[in-house]
Each structure stands twice: as C-alpha cells, then as structure tokens.
Amino acid sequence: AYFSNGAAQNVILTRTKAGVYAAGTSTKADLMRVVGSDLYITNGYKIQKLLASTDPQVSTNYATALPVGSATYPIREVINLGGSPVVLKGDGVFVYDGQRFINITPAITPHTDNGKAGFTDGRGRIYYPTADGDVLVVGSGYQSQQRPARFTSFNRETPLGRITAATADMEYVYAVTEPGQIVTNATAASLAGIGLVVMSEHAGFFTTHT
C-alpha cells in the first residue's frame, strides 16, 4: 500500500504486509489514483502517469507532468471513466484528448473547492460537486445541474445544506448533506430572526410550530 502526503511534504510512504512503514526515495504527490491499470500522481495542477513496470517511489519513473487547466486551481480528484483519467478541478472537468487535458465544463464559475469528492457511476456519468451546493452531472453529449434538495419540501432544518459525501450505484445517487442554517422567528430576545413562521395545516386547521 502506498500513501502520499502532499507534494510539498514528505515522500511517498509504503506499508508492507508486516505492517511496517517506510519512506520512498524521491516521489512526492498530492494525490495517487489508479485509473485502469495505470497509476497517476498529482502535484498542484499537474498530473503524471507511472511508466509501466517501474517503482512508483522513484520520481524519474513517471512521464512528463501535464498541466491541467489554470495553475490557480489544484487538482481535487482524478476519476476513472472507461479506463481513462478524468480530472476534477476548481475550474472544471477535464478529459484527455491524447495530447492535453480539455475543459468540458468551461461555463462554470471557478472555485477552489469545486470538484472535491467527485465520482462516476455505473452508467458512465461524472458527478462534479460545486462549492455552492449544486452537483454538475456530465455524460456523453450532455450536462445537467442538480440540487439535492430541489424536490424536497422546505423546512427550517435542512435548506440547501452542503454535500459532505456522495456516491452512486446503477440506479441512484446518494448524497449526505449538512443541516444548513437554522432560521428562527424574530422575538424580543432574539431580534436577528427573519420572521419565518413554521405551520402545518390539517383539515383547514393551522398549528404553529415556530
């Protein structure tokens, strides 16, 4: 097992079957990801592939580092789509065209937290979380923007909470969201409320739950 600790930190560590940890010789990385049968490492906004049948702990065993998008935004995730690497960054979703990485979502608003914890599902779709709480779903020839709470009744406990984890299977996407900000009615003791009143209705009778 190999562990990376950041391109500006320690070299890659290994853990043997005996449970012993040892430092590598020269390779440093922010991320290590297996795509198909290849190992990729990232350093800031650049990505490298390990040469076949070589030691991943030696930095000279990697192909030339390729830049991905703007240097302002580091690589957040490298995912596997059909055996090819897809790079998720703050400035978009990037696919490799054989020579360079192309941004297939140029219209998004860049943010350094975009793309964190992105993933693919069993149908070949890419899920690209954004800092404002939306998820961009990218497939072959289409893109759609999804908000996890868009079809849910509004309540004061869970409006538009941030996604903390997400995954998918062949049928569904599962997202875990934070509760979001709790808003309360303004009172003499709490003038910061926004005047929200929570009520329920049953058979023409209203009950206040504020």
Side-chain angles (χ1 to χ4, degrees):
Y2 296 92
F3 301 87
S4 58
N5 192 35
Q9 303 298 323
N10 298 325
V11 295
I12 287 175
L13 300 177
T14 61
R15 184 179 187 275
T16 67
K17 292 180 180 179
V20 177
Y21 291 87
T25 56
S26 55
T27 304
K28 297 183 178 182
D30 292 325
L31 289 174
M32 303 180 71
R33 293 290 185 268
V34 175
V35 176
S37 59
D38 296 310
L39 174 66
Y40 291 84
I41 64 172
T42 71
N43 180 343
Y45 76 111
K46 295 183 178 182
I47 187 171
Q48 292 177 274
K49 183 172 76 171
L50 180 69
L51 301 177
S53 303
T54 60
D55 184 352
Q57 294 180 292
V58 180
S59 61
T60 55
N61 287 340
Y62 291 84
T64 302
L66 293 177
V68 183
S70 169
T72 304
Y73 303 98
I75 294 172
R76 293 305 186 188
E77 190 59 77
V78 179
I79 58 178
N80 182 356
L81 187 64
S84 297
V86 176
V87 178
L88 308 183
K89 297 178 68 247
D91 50 342
V93 177
F94 293 80
V95 297
Y96 189 60
D97 70 352
Q99 295 183 326
R100 58 195 179 100
F101 282 90
I102 305 296
N103 189 354
I104 60 173
T105 57
I108 70 161
T109 301
H111 190 286
T112 186
D113 288 334
N114 288 347
K116 285 184 176 180
F119 59 96
T120 57
D121 67 7
R123 298 181 179 181
R125 293 174 296 201
I126 301 165
Y127 294 83
Y128 176 76
T130 61
D132 60 8
D134 291 343
V135 177
L136 195 63
V137 183
V138 183
S140 178
Y142 76 91
Q143 297 177 17
S144 66
Q145 192 167 354
Q146 305 294 329
R147 184 177 293 274
R150 62 183 295 189
F151 299 116
T152 314
S153 299
F154 179 90
N155 68 72
R156 70 187 186 128
E157 300 297 334
T158 57
L160 307 181
R162 282 195 171 209
I163 296 173
T164 58
T167 189
D169 57 21
M170 289 294 290
E171 298 295 331
Y172 302 104
V173 177
Y174 305 89
V176 179
T177 61
E178 293 177 344
Q181 181 181 5
I182 296 177
V183 292
T184 58
N185 194 31
T187 65
S190 177
L191 299 178
I194 63 172
L196 177 67
V197 178
V198 181
M199 306 181 73
S200 65
E201 182 268 336
H202 178 69
F205 294 94
F206 293 85
T207 303
T208 301
H209 303 284
T210 306

